[in-house]
Amino acid sequence: MNMNTRDKNPQDADRLVKALTAGIAPRAGIYHWGAIASLVALIALCVAWELRLAPLRPGGSWLVLKVLPLLLPLRGILKRDVYTMQWSSMLILVYFTEGIVRATSDRAPLSAALGWGETALTCLFFLCTILYLRPYKQAARQLAKQAIGKAAK
């Protein structure tokens, strides 16, 4: 009898996750593409900012290397990897901080405007990833409640 219960648990879990995430497909696509667009735009903004638009030193600066960490989650975001979206939503907060600091402290108007642009793109990415992940977190919470309920019986 225990074997049958164990065999049904993965199927029950799969059905529950599918049922909980079935209605979010249209919105999830919007959030996913929003995350992709904002990440790619942020990468392009950072490269252009540090090489051409308003570099710290004339002719470009080594600060353009700050783009490299943004390239790490790109593949996972494109593939809709939930784990990548989770950790990249925390990584993006570093760029949010940099955008706020440079928007409020840079004296050049263009550099300050680019800082606000970076801040806006990071907020958009963070919002899209959080909204994309929300149904998965809710499904995981319900699965945990069910597992605790079955274990208590």
Side-chain angles (χ1 to χ4, degrees):
M1 184 124 185
N2 285 342
M3 292 300 272
N4 290 338
T5 308
R6 287 181 187 161
D7 289 341
K8 289 182 182 179
N9 282 342
Q11 293 170 352
D12 291 343
D14 288 341
R15 274 191 236 129
L16 181 62
V17 170
K18 285 178 184 175
L20 290 172
T21 58
I24 61 141
R27 288 179 292 170
I30 292 168
Y31 299 143
H32 177 243
W33 283 106
I36 291 171
S38 59
L39 183 60
V40 170
L42 182 60
I43 291 168
L45 174 78
C46 289
V47 169
W49 185 356
E50 298 305 334
L51 288 181
R52 293 281 178 212
L53 298 176
L56 289 177
R57 299 193 190 321
S61 73
W62 284 97
L63 199 55
V64 74
L65 295 177
K66 72 180 181 184
V67 172
L68 293 179
L70 289 174
L71 297 175
L72 296 174
L74 187 58
R75 183 175 180 199
I77 298 294
L78 290 170
K79 289 184 164 193
R80 297 180 183 228
D81 183 41
V82 172
Y83 182 72
T84 302
M85 288 199 166
Q86 288 173 338
W87 66 261
S88 65
S89 69
M90 296 297 108
L91 170 71
I92 206 73
L93 297 177
V94 173
Y95 294 88
F96 173 80
T97 305
E98 189 221 5
I100 290 291
V101 168
R102 292 190 69 181
T104 57
S105 66
D106 281 1
R107 294 180 187 217
L110 178 59
S111 187
L114 291 171
W116 287 119
E118 181 179 26
T119 302
L121 288 172
T122 59
C123 287
L124 180 63
F125 179 82
F126 186 79
L127 184 67
C128 286
T129 55
I130 295 302
L131 291 174
Y132 180 84
L133 293 170
R134 186 173 182 217
Y136 294 100
K137 290 296 189 180
Q138 290 172 343
R141 225 176 276 124
Q142 279 198 335
L143 281 173
K145 283 181 185 178
Q146 281 186 353
I148 291 170
K150 287 182 181 181
K153 288 182 183 180

